[in-house]
Amino acid sequence: MTDLEHELKELLHAKADHLGTPAAAPQEVLRRGRRRQARTVAGSALAGIVALAVAIAAVGAVTRAPAPQPADTSKGAPYPERTTSIQGFTVTAPQGWTLQDLWPWSSVLTTSAQSCSFSGSGTPVGGSGSPVAQPSQDCTSTPQPVPGGVPVLSVSNFDPGTSSTLCGLGDRTPVDLPLTGVAYVVTALSHGQSADSLRQACPHADRIETALGGPIPYAVVSFVGAQASPSDAAWIRDWFHHVPIYDPAIVPSKVQPSALPGPGYVVEAGASWRLEATAPFGCDASACRAQAVLVGVSVDTTETATTVDLPVPGQPVVEASDPLVTWGTADGSVASIDAIGDSRTGPATLVWWPAGIQTVAPDVHDGWIWWAEVPYGRDASITGANGQTYLLSQTRPPIDLAGGRIPTTTAPDGTVTGTLNLFGRTWTFSDTKDGFLVSSGDSTINSMLNGGSTMFDVAGGTLMLAQEGPSVSFVKVKVDGGPTINGWWMPAEDELGHPGRVWVIPLPGTGTGVKIADDGFPPSATSWPVHAAPFPGGVVMGGGQDGVSWKLAYGDPPERCLQVAFVAGDTASDPARCLGVPEPGVASLDDVAGETSSLVVVIAPAGSHVTTAGQVVYPQCVDMPEGSGAYAGLNVCVAIVPVSAGDVTFRATDANGHLVPASPFTVRAEPGRLALIKTP
Amino acid sequence: MDGRTVTTMEDALVEPDRGTMAELYARHVPAAIRLAYLLTGDPSQAEDLAHDAFIRCVGRFGHLRAREAFDAYLRRAVVNLHTSKLRRTRLEREWLRREGHRAVNTTASMPDVGAREDLWRALQTLPPRQRAALVLRYYEDLSEHDTATALGCSVAAVKSLVQRGSEALRSRLGGEDR
């Protein structure tokens, strides 16, 4: 922590400590609170988050729930263990178990009833025309909670099918629980919904727990069959024991109508995506369009979907790709698939369509869903059951490298809107009173931080957005080993209302590079996608000052190698090496020496603080995320120490202010080396 | 049973009564007012903002089983209300209508807490989200992850906000050696 930050901390606490606050609640506040409660309880939370409900009778043609079937796939690989986020709810399913995304039911279940009265008078024109006065219409909407709630997801060691759930759906009877079956269901509730309705709707429930996601109450219901194996029952009960009773990540404004046409089986998942097998509501044996759907989950839990249809005669494999995964469908004649991307080729995993989909969509009875951890796959090498191999090629929209001004229009309320085609889709960018919004189609995907920059993953790549002043004439990214992608810009005020520009740089697939702009700052390293498991070259943190910039990035293999390197303004005298991992509870010092400055790295235990004394330097620190292997949880701090700076002391202290063992370190940067002046 | 208390629907969906609400207020709102004060720089606006956030929380959260949950949600509500431009404008309008004639005195009557008034003034000139990020990090002592949760943005965005906020403070303090 720098001196300024220390001063700021002391100031904030002093200011806050001297502020007088009411000892008791003012009556006006309590009165407003009670009034707000009454209004909230009266309304259904679901009415606000579910699109206008369609009568459940509209899906009456759906076949009744089939008898539960074993979850094991008859051919191909079993479903792997999957951890994903569905509508903000993080869930894990063991290998071979069934994980269903049930949120599509929210678009067809009746959660409110509308009644209208009409009145009007008029004189027919000529005895045959319309009344000259139009009748008035007065409609009221009444919440109608679904007894078992609106299902969000379920995990089970059997396949419950797609026509109902273990808690029933309106007038649909609950799925029977097999004697050896175990499961849990997450369901969104209405405020004021009674416990009796939930217990009656889930007659086989073992336990019921209610919880809160944002303002949305939800329930988790577990089921354990009478002859369930001890290990399965223990898994369910252990999971149930750890249900979060409050999860702020489940944000009400982000809960949205499902992007899927019907309930989906999650067959594989990553941190920011999941692959589902689904069939639309109303499927029957004569006509059904089962699909493989890749659902992308953005940083704010917004979900987008990309679908792939079944193969057609003469085309045994259908392929699609994404910044992280390549996937598709294949018919039963295919034995294996290798996905081919720009940077990698990898074998695909093939799984048979889930039994629940085969039941409602018989045309998938002989086919696969497949995926490969190949970023942005372009082609596929396919081997048939007869051993023959052939190549499938797909085209993808090229990235326009030129950049330029985004065409914009200005609405009467001052909103400036621009449209741009990126990654084969039309994007809308709006500078509104509420901030900078990025959308594609009807769904808002992210909100720009005025005065800052952000990146977020989308289908086809990653968008980098940067807010800059009007004097900045270019923002671009030089891709490592690739082209330079120039940014697109449109006028947008910054957060204080000053004129400026938002720059949009489309970054395809997976990659690393350097962001360059004429903004007075040195080039900065970047990598994409943002939400990806650590990969070689992936940037953890970057910084710079006085024309020198640096990056902290993963090496190879990423779980055992973290490196710091100059990006601009200086070069290291030694080749890049992996930073050492200190002993538990101990701090360590590392460095990369340049001719005019050194990059000093202090690695300290989780929860520690690193401060400096002596000459002024500004360490930047990061808590290494889960998944970063040997470095996970450590506090890694990087600072530029110029050769001219003299002696600098780095102190690592724990949460109680005590020095961490091995700390402090006093160093001095010299051309091509870092001199260690003093250790404890 | 594994020994865990299983809360029933009746427990969970019960609304806090008048006494519970007053207790909640006494337990959580003073801290929320202090946070709001550091965000707005004005005691009266801070009280209005914290009260609005409290009303929003007790109105929407029927079941307040976890004290930590209420803290987190109230903090987030305060920050959200503060950083929402439209909301902030409306609050300021209401406050000016009611208290405008003594607004300056209200601020001036605060005890002098030291010689760092220049830093305090510089903090007030930062964009709201930068200010919020600094306050959450250095007053609330939140981790970058928790700050990101409170601000509704990514950890990378928090880093950027804190870095830019710190740089702006240094710049506005006239290049003092910090």
Side-chain angles (χ1 to χ4, degrees):
Chain A
M1 190 176 287
T2 65
D3 291 348
L4 172 70
E5 289 157 353
H6 271 303
E7 276 186 44
L8 183 57
K9 187 168 187 148
E10 289 173 5
L11 170 76
L12 294 173
H13 281 277
K15 284 282 185 184
D17 290 346
H18 281 82
L19 182 71
T21 55
Q27 286 304 311
E28 169 65 11
V29 173
L30 296 181
R31 187 182 62 76
R32 287 172 61 197
R34 286 194 296 276
R35 199 168 60 207
R36 181 70 172 251
Q37 280 179 357
R39 202 164 63 228
T40 307
V41 172
S44 162
L46 288 175
I49 59 171
V50 178
L52 181 63
V54 178
I56 197 165
V59 292
V62 178
T63 54
R64 289 292 166 185
Q69 302 170 43
D72 291 342
T73 47
S74 56
K75 296 172 69 175
Y79 300 144
E81 178 177 293
R82 292 137 288 166
T83 296
T84 188
S85 166
I86 297 178
Q87 297 300 327
F89 197 101
T90 300
V91 59
T92 296
Q95 182 183 30
W97 287 30
T98 297
L99 168 58
Q100 288 185 317
D101 172 4
L102 299 172
W103 189 242
W105 280 106
S106 65
S107 63
V108 295
L109 290 175
T110 300
T111 56
S112 63
Q114 195 174 57
S115 61
C116 301
S117 61
F118 297 87
S119 63
S121 61
T123 305
V125 178
S128 59
S130 301
V132 293
Q134 295 297 313
S136 63
Q137 180 178 337
D138 183 18
C139 296
T140 57
S141 184
T142 307
Q144 285 195 325
V146 179
V150 176
V152 179
L153 61 91
S154 75
V155 175
S156 55
N157 68 348
F158 63 98
D159 185 349
T162 59
S163 298
S164 188
T165 76
L166 286 157
C167 283
L169 290 167
D171 62 350
R172 292 168 183 275
T173 55
V175 171
D176 287 336
L177 178 67
L179 288 174
T180 58
V182 298
Y184 65 80
V185 175
V186 176
T187 182
L189 304 177
S190 301
H191 281 294
Q193 188 163 356
S194 77
D196 286 345
S197 76
L198 195 59
R199 292 187 188 288
Q200 288 173 10
C202 318
H204 310 298
D206 179 49
R207 297 172 191 180
I208 297 175
E209 174 72 289
T210 54
L212 199 58
I216 301 173
Y218 59 85
V220 179
V221 186
S222 67
F223 302 83
V224 177
Q227 297 176 16
S229 72
S231 60
D232 285 359
W235 191 92
I236 283 288
R237 286 175 172 146
D238 181 65
W239 184 89
F240 191 89
H241 185 76
H242 292 94
V243 170
I245 59 172
Y246 172 76
D247 187 349
I250 306 176
V251 182
S253 62
K254 307 303 180 192
V255 175
Q256 59 197 325
S258 173
L260 273 71
Y265 289 77
V266 179
V267 298
E268 176 60 303
S272 60
W273 60 274
R274 59 181 189 268
L275 181 60
E276 299 193 14
T278 184
F281 291 111
C283 258
D284 61 35
S286 61
C288 189
R289 196 161 164 262
Q291 294 173 320
V293 184
L294 192 81
V295 180
V297 183
S298 73
V299 65
D300 62 356
T301 72
T302 302
E303 298 185 351
T304 56
T306 308
T307 61
V308 166
D309 290 333
L310 294 173
V312 295
Q315 185 186 15
V317 172
V318 183
E319 182 188 30
S321 59
D322 172 89
L324 298 172
V325 65
T326 300
W327 86 101
T329 57
D331 69 25
S333 69
V334 172
S336 68
I337 299 172
D338 285 313
I340 303 169
D342 287 339
S343 59
R344 198 187 314 165
T345 295
T349 300
L350 281 68
V351 296
W352 216 235
W353 283 83
I357 296 294
Q358 293 181 36
T359 303
V360 296
D363 51 345
V364 303
H365 74 281
D366 186 21
W368 311 94
I369 296 175
W370 63 273
W371 70 88
E373 292 183 9
V374 171
Y376 213 38
R378 184 181 62 248
D379 305 324
S381 175
I382 301 157
T383 303
N386 57 5
Q388 287 188 325
T389 298
Y390 55 98
L391 191 68
L392 171 74
S393 295
Q394 66 165 338
T395 58
R396 62 170 138 153
I399 291 291
D400 187 339
L401 302 175
R405 193 185 196 288
I406 302 171
T408 57
T409 58
T410 304
D413 68 352
T415 297
V416 179
T417 301
T419 57
L420 191 60
N421 193 286
L422 300 170
F423 304 123
R425 298 155 62 193
T426 299
W427 296 80
T428 301
F429 304 94
S430 301
D431 183 28
T432 75
K433 292 176 181 174
D434 289 330
F436 197 85
L437 306 178
V438 181
S439 65
S440 178
D442 295 328
S443 60
T444 297
I445 291 181
N446 206 344
S447 167
M448 176 69 178
L449 292 173
N450 287 335
S453 63
T454 188
M455 296 170 69
F456 55 93
D457 303 329
V458 300
T462 297
L463 292 182
M464 173 187 285
L465 274 72
Q467 171 91 45
E468 299 288 355
S471 64
V472 173
S473 63
F474 67 84
V475 178
K476 56 191 178 184
V477 170
K478 171 71 176 73
V479 180
D480 293 339
T484 296
I485 304 172
N486 291 283
W488 296 83
W489 66 271
M490 61 176 277
E493 293 181 345
D494 74 0
E495 202 159 25
L496 293 177
H498 298 148
R501 295 173 175 178
V502 163
W503 292 80
V504 181
I505 303 102
L507 304 169
T510 297
T512 62
V514 179
K515 176 194 169 198
I516 307 166
D518 57 343
D519 58 358
F521 290 94
S524 59
T526 186
S527 66
W528 62 95
V530 179
H531 288 91
F535 61 94
V539 175
V540 180
M541 178 172 65
Q545 68 184 57
D546 301 330
V548 177
S549 60
W550 54 268
K551 65 178 177 181
L552 180 70
Y554 292 108
D556 193 7
E559 65 276 12
R560 293 199 300 274
C561 188
L562 192 63
Q563 297 173 324
V564 66
F566 287 108
V567 174
D570 206 341
T571 53
S573 53
D574 299 323
R577 66 179 188 279
C578 302
L579 300 175
V581 178
E583 295 293 319
V586 175
S588 69
L589 178 77
D590 215 323
D591 74 284
V592 171
E595 286 303 308
T596 60
S597 56
S598 284
L599 302 176
V600 176
V601 186
V602 175
I603 304 180
S608 60
H609 293 277
V610 173
T611 58
T612 61
Q615 296 299 315
V616 178
V617 298
Y618 304 112
Q620 278 182 241
C621 301
V622 62
D623 297 328
M624 292 301 294
E626 293 296 322
S628 53
Y631 303 94
L634 293 174
N635 180 21
V636 179
C637 300
V638 182
I640 299 177
V641 177
V643 166
S644 59
D647 294 355
V648 179
T649 299
F650 290 83
R651 292 165 52 88
T653 52
D654 63 19
N656 297 318
H658 301 134
L659 277 172
V660 173
S663 161
F665 310 99
T666 299
V667 299
R668 182 189 305 145
E670 298 173 354
R673 68 183 288 265
L674 183 78
L676 184 58
I677 306 300
K678 188 171 63 179
T679 54
Chain B
M1 292 292 290
D2 55 11
R4 186 183 189 202
T5 302
V6 177
T7 307
T8 66
M9 289 288 294
E10 290 88 342
D11 296 332
L13 297 181
V14 70
E15 300 297 333
D17 60 19
R18 187 179 310 190
T20 308
M21 199 186 299
E23 289 170 13
L24 278 172
Y25 182 99
R27 191 180 305 141
H28 298 291
V29 172
I33 293 175
R34 284 192 284 273
L35 171 62
Y37 169 58
L38 297 177
L39 296 175
T40 64
D42 183 274
S44 297
Q45 279 193 70
E47 204 167 302
D48 283 354
L49 194 149
H51 284 166
D52 274 13
F54 176 73
I55 289 161
R56 177 174 290 200
C57 290
V58 296
R60 290 205 169 177
F61 283 152
H63 50 310
L64 300 170
R65 288 183 296 157
R67 184 182 305 174
E68 309 76 38
F70 192 82
D71 277 347
Y73 192 74
L74 186 60
R75 182 190 301 123
R76 182 165 179 148
V78 167
V79 173
N80 280 348
L81 287 175
H82 168 65
T83 53
S84 162
K85 280 186 177 179
L86 294 175
R87 179 67 179 169
R88 195 168 65 248
T89 303
R90 191 174 76 75
L91 276 172
E92 285 173 356
R93 224 169 25 233
E94 288 181 358
W95 174 78
L96 284 172
R97 189 174 64 241
R98 196 174 68 245
E99 309 260 355
H101 61 284
R102 57 187 177 91
V104 174
N105 288 338
T106 304
T107 304
S109 66
M110 286 295 296
D112 181 6
V113 294
R116 301 314 304 166
E117 286 302 316
D118 52 346
L119 179 57
W120 176 244
R121 283 191 294 273
L123 183 69
Q124 305 310 312
T125 66
L126 295 182
R129 290 180 72 85
Q130 285 184 10
R131 190 159 69 236
L134 290 173
V135 169
L136 292 170
R137 289 284 283 143
Y138 298 125
Y139 172 68
E140 295 278 347
D141 277 334
L142 297 189
S143 67
E144 287 176 336
H145 177 269
D146 290 344
T147 302
T149 300
L151 285 171
C153 64
S154 66
V155 170
V158 168
K159 294 180 198 298
S160 172
L161 287 168
V162 170
Q163 184 182 357
R164 284 184 180 241
S166 299
E167 288 170 357
L169 286 179
R170 286 191 188 96
S171 168
R172 287 166 203 191
L173 291 172
E176 291 177 38
D177 193 17
R178 290 162 201 284

